[in-house]
Structures are given as structure tokens and as C-alpha cells.
Amino acid sequence: ELSPHLPAPENVEIYSYNFHSLLRWSPVSVETGSVLYTVHYKTGAFPVWNETNCTRIPQTQCRFPLEIQKRRWTVHLRVRAELGQVLSDWVDTGPFVAERDTTLGPPKVNRVSANSDSLLLSVTPPFTPEPGDSFRYHVFYWENTTSPTKKDQEAQKTLLQIGKLKESTLYCFSLRVEFGDLLGQQSVPQCHRTAIS
């Protein structure tokens, strides 16, 4: 007699954006009944599986519990499907380290002030910094013409100046942030006209 077997969740992956991380997977389909899921975690420092806030849940994703939302920790997660008393095999993720594996979004441009020969940008990083964090901002800028020459510069401050510009001219710029070994996504270009002197 065949023992009832439940397929394990597939496409199990950790999705992490700006240090907000969750585990997600594809739903397990069955003929009858509704499948529930349970997620466990363990850390590199304490390799014992622990329960999360996702025990017997119907959703196909689970936010990281607060106790493992540490940037430098190595975290392993596993998920299984459950249908009544029938359990699937566990599916483990590989080691995840947020500081290495998260995706950084673009920096946020709060304000742009135009002078006759420069644009002054006020920016903030894509996530709330912790004490001691340092960022490098890469600014790409170009005159809004049919064949623009792109230039770039770097800065570590949140007040960035793009200088040596022509007056009353439309310039576009795009930014990305570097944090440790992570290079963030580039922002959507914005265009501003310099002032008339």
C-alpha cells in the first residue's frame, strides 16, 4: 500500500530588498484539502532549527522573524508543506547573509536646488542607516541633448553638488549607492534646468 506523500514546496527562495527579507515559495497543489506551510530557521552561530512566526500558515511567504534580522548573521531557513497529518520533506535554503545577499534600491532624492552653474542634490540612503554606516554615492549626469556625454562623480555626503554646468540648460542625472560590497540599483533619471545667472 502506498504511503500518502505530499510534494515539497518548490522555487523556495529568500527575497531581500533593502534588508527587509522574506522566504517565499510556490504553492503545493493537491486534489482536496488546503495545504499549510511551516518555516524553521537556524543561524551559523547556533545551528539548531527553531520555529518562526510561520507555523501552519496558508500563505506562501514568511517574513524573517525579528530575532534573525541581523545584517551580518548567516541564516538558514527551511519550509515544508502539511496536509492534515501528512508532511512533505523539508526544503532548505542555502546560507543567507543580508549584508552580502540583499538587493539595495536606489537612493532617494529629497530636493534639487538649481544654480546657474550647478545642481545641488539632497539625498538619503535606500534604508535607515545604523550607527557607523558609510555610503558612497555615484552620480551620473548628462546634458539633455540628442547625443549626450555622460559624466560621473562620487561623494560620501548626502548633499551632492554637480558643478561646472552651463546656465539655463537642462541636465539629467541618476544615482546609485555603494554600501560595503553591495552596489545598489540605479535611480530613474531626473532632469532639471540650471538657473540663469
Side-chain angles (χ1 to χ4, degrees):
E1 193 168 303
L2 287 172
S3 64
H5 184 70
L6 193 59
E10 292 181 349
N11 306 314
V12 177
E13 62 166 4
I14 293 172
Y15 172 76
S16 183
Y17 189 76
N18 290 336
F19 295 107
H20 296 285
S21 307
L22 55 86
L23 182 69
R24 58 187 187 186
W25 56 91
S26 299
V28 172
S29 57
V30 290
E31 308 259 314
T32 57
S34 53
V35 176
L36 300 174
Y37 305 94
T38 293
V39 177
H40 288 173
Y41 75 88
K42 67 180 178 182
T43 64
F46 193 62
V48 174
W49 289 108
N50 297 284
E51 287 196 350
T52 62
N53 44 350
C54 302
T55 300
R56 300 183 61 76
I57 59 164
Q59 297 86 2
T60 55
Q61 63 178 43
C62 174
R63 289 208 170 282
F64 275 33
L66 212 52
E67 58 268 26
I68 60 169
Q69 289 182 26
K70 307 279 189 283
R71 292 187 195 162
R72 292 188 174 88
W73 283 18
T74 301
V75 177
H76 295 259
L77 294 154
R78 67 180 186 179
V79 60
R80 75 176 176 200
E82 306 179 5
L83 183 62
Q85 301 303 305
V86 186
L87 309 174
S88 78
D89 292 334
W90 288 103
V91 181
D92 294 19
T93 66
F96 170 83
V97 181
E99 206 168 64
R100 177 193 70 198
D101 300 319
T102 198
T103 299
L104 287 187
K108 184 167 175 278
V109 179
N110 303 314
R111 200 174 58 252
V112 179
S113 309
N115 300 315
S116 61
D117 62 348
S118 65
L119 294 173
L120 195 62
L121 321 179
S122 162
V123 300
T124 45
F127 60 91
T128 307
E130 292 178 358
D133 283 353
S134 85
F135 302 90
R136 291 179 84 81
Y137 296 95
H138 298 269
V139 187
F140 307 91
Y141 63 97
W142 59 96
E143 195 180 323
N144 192 18
T145 60
T146 47
S147 53
T149 307
K150 291 200 175 186
K151 299 179 180 172
D152 63 276
Q153 64 184 49
E154 283 185 17
Q156 289 186 302
K157 300 187 200 67
T158 54
L159 209 54
L160 314 171
Q161 185 172 29
I162 305 174
K164 298 190 175 131
L165 305 180
K166 299 179 200 164
E167 64 176 277
S168 189
T169 304
L170 192 62
Y171 284 91
C172 302
F173 63 84
S174 172
L175 302 165
R176 67 195 305 185
V177 70
E178 196 179 328
F179 176 68
D181 294 334
L182 294 170
L183 191 58
Q185 296 169 328
Q186 204 158 320
S187 67
V188 175
Q190 291 189 29
C191 301
H192 291 265
R193 189 173 292 281
T194 51
I196 295 175
S197 59

